[in-house]
Amino acid sequence: MEKSLENKHKTRDMIISFGLLALLFLLIFVLEHTIRPTSILFTVLKKSAIYALVAVSMNLLNGFTGLFSLGQAGFMLLGAYTYAIFTIPVEARPQIYQYYDGGLIQFTLPVVVAMILAGLVAALFAYLIGLPVLHLKSDYLAIATLGFAEILRAIFQWDKLGVITNGSNLLRKYPTFRSTTFYFAVSAICIALIVMLINSTYGRAFKAIRDDEVAAEAMGINLAHHKRLAFTISSFFAGISGALLAMFQTTIQASQFKSAMTYEILLIVVIGGIGSVTGSCISSFLFIACSEWWLRFLDNSNLNIPGLNIMRPGFRKVVFSVVIMCIVLFYQKGIMGEHEFSISGIQKKLKKWFSKKKKAEKTVEGNAQ
């Protein structure tokens, strides 16, 4: 009886989630046809969709498998460069690879094929790096993956690889998309695939490894295999998010993928809740909106009170840092914690709140009598 009721709740939550997602796409479609395309709203929405995907991919490792990796920027770099290199039109290559005789690659792939290839290249590198690195734990794994990302960034700027990567020069003139719906559609499909993986037997194995490796191994779970699998899949989606970032920025250079990018993604995961997919999606929008839109007025020196020259370019970053500190202090488990957004979850919280309120009222009445 309880299982059937639980299945009904899950089915209802799934239908409502798809309905809300459809409404979100409809709203974005309407906004794209009513607001000017250069509005900062669309910039924030596109970047939020990209960061939501990479944050969820990072959460698959940190939150659901318990692997502390800091190499997401490196895998995004691989994805961005793979997409750009294989989609630049052949006739435009002599202008871009002007110092390298037009470059080595002299063919062009379709956009969808190049995006999938971007994820596969990132996954391949992750598999090769994971063979020795995944034997490490905790901080040592984080340092090793962070070092890999920094080495990769330096290699891609190496002149000897210029015929492929264009050295330290920009890659440009590859296909880009202005439609916000496109970014949301790709991110939604990829995040849905990650959620399906988390809810599968592999996902339960990942969670078992996160909770207790010794117990997981005693249950027959192959630790090395499942860790490599989680690391590779996470990197695959990070590579796709790198391709989306290349489209969004219209130009790509290796120097853009610094360790600060990984720290931003990690911060989004922590703010949303380590172990919550919906938390990562919500915090991605809040992080991008606050850092690039809502607090922008703080950089306007014209709003200063006479005698107090506080507001100046860069002041929003100070306020933004204070806001983040407050969130981390008062929401130590993040906005969503380890929970996901669901109607049944909201109902349970409301029931608990009403029951506590009734108990408090009864206690007050008893004390009064």
Side-chain angles (χ1 to χ4, degrees):
M1 184 69 180
E2 289 182 1
K3 284 185 177 180
S4 62
L5 188 63
E6 187 179 347
N7 290 331
K8 284 182 180 179
H9 286 316
K10 284 183 178 179
T11 306
R12 184 191 62 181
D13 289 340
M14 189 179 295
I15 293 169
I16 292 171
S17 298
F18 278 114
L20 291 173
L21 191 62
L23 283 174
L24 179 62
F25 276 102
L26 180 63
L27 178 62
I28 293 169
F29 180 79
V30 171
L31 288 173
E32 282 185 317
H33 288 79
T34 53
I35 302 175
R36 67 183 190 276
T38 55
S39 173
I40 193 171
L41 171 64
F42 297 122
T43 303
V44 170
L45 289 175
K46 289 173 191 174
K47 198 169 182 180
S48 300
I50 296 166
Y51 270 67
L53 174 56
V54 70
V56 172
S57 73
M58 190 178 202
N59 214 343
L60 177 64
L61 276 181
N62 291 18
F64 293 98
T65 316
L67 298 175
F68 189 28
S69 170
L70 292 177
Q72 297 303 102
F75 297 120
M76 288 181 75
L77 182 150
L78 285 168
Y81 264 80
T82 302
Y83 172 79
I85 288 167
F86 287 99
T87 55
I88 295 172
V90 176
E91 61 273 11
R93 290 181 184 274
Q95 302 171 22
I96 297 165
Y97 289 88
Q98 55 184 331
Y99 302 110
Y100 303 100
D101 298 325
L104 182 64
I105 308 296
Q106 291 299 321
F107 60 90
T108 304
L109 293 176
V111 170
V112 176
V113 175
M115 287 183 65
I116 295 171
L117 182 62
L120 291 174
V121 169
L124 175 62
F125 272 79
Y127 179 80
L128 295 174
I129 291 158
L131 291 174
V133 164
L134 291 177
H135 293 290
L136 303 172
K137 293 183 180 181
S138 188
D139 300 341
Y140 300 103
L141 176 60
I143 293 167
T145 50
L146 181 63
F148 155 73
E150 290 297 307
I151 291 168
L152 200 62
R153 183 165 61 88
I155 289 174
F156 268 67
Q157 296 178 91
W158 188 29
D159 290 340
K160 299 293 184 181
L161 287 178
V163 291
I164 299 174
T165 64
N166 205 23
S168 58
N169 304 304
L170 290 169
L171 288 177
R172 62 189 191 282
K173 294 190 176 182
Y174 48 79
T176 58
F177 293 89
R178 290 186 178 181
S179 174
T180 308
T181 310
F182 172 81
Y183 292 91
F184 264 79
V186 175
S187 293
I189 291 169
C190 292
I191 290 171
L193 291 173
I194 294 172
V195 170
M196 289 171 64
L197 175 67
I198 291 168
N199 293 327
S200 68
T201 53
Y202 287 102
R204 289 191 285 272
F206 295 157
K207 292 174 185 177
I209 292 170
R210 175 196 64 188
D211 295 335
D212 193 328
E213 287 191 7
V214 176
E217 192 171 20
M219 291 169 63
I221 295 172
N222 189 329
L223 297 183
H225 171 71
H226 282 85
K227 284 182 179 180
R228 281 197 301 269
L229 186 64
F231 193 60
T232 304
I233 293 172
S234 172
S235 304
F236 173 82
F237 289 109
I240 292 179
S241 67
L244 290 175
L245 187 64
M247 297 179 199
F248 171 73
Q249 294 184 164
T250 68
T251 60
I252 281 296
Q253 193 174 24
S255 59
Q256 298 169 349
F257 296 87
K258 296 179 180 177
S259 56
M261 181 180 285
T262 298
Y263 300 148
E264 286 181 354
I265 298 163
L266 179 61
L267 189 59
I268 288 170
V269 172
V270 172
I271 291 172
I274 298 176
S276 173
V277 173
T278 50
S280 295
C281 296
I282 293 167
S283 62
S284 297
F285 174 76
L286 294 176
F287 182 89
I288 300 299
C290 286
S291 61
E292 298 193 11
W293 185 16
W294 294 340
L295 300 179
R296 190 174 287 274
F297 72 94
L298 296 172
D299 291 347
N300 191 352
S301 57
N302 295 325
L303 297 176
N304 278 320
I305 301 171
L308 289 173
N309 297 322
I310 296 175
M311 293 188 184
R312 61 187 67 186
F315 183 62
R316 66 188 166 101
K317 293 184 178 179
V318 177
V319 176
F320 183 59
S321 300
V322 173
V323 171
I324 289 171
M325 287 174 63
C326 293
I327 292 172
V328 172
L329 285 171
F330 293 102
Y331 293 92
Q332 294 181 0
K333 291 186 177 180
I335 296 170
M336 296 295 293
E338 294 183 357
H339 305 286
E340 303 293 349
F341 175 80
S342 64
I343 301 301
S344 56
I346 294 171
Q347 287 177 343
K348 286 179 182 179
K349 287 184 178 180
L350 287 173
K351 284 180 181 179
K352 284 183 180 179
W353 185 78
F354 280 118
S355 63
K356 285 181 180 179
K357 191 177 180 182
K358 285 181 180 179
K359 284 181 181 179
E361 287 176 354
K362 287 180 181 179
T363 305
V364 171
E365 288 177 1
N367 292 334
Q369 290 174 359

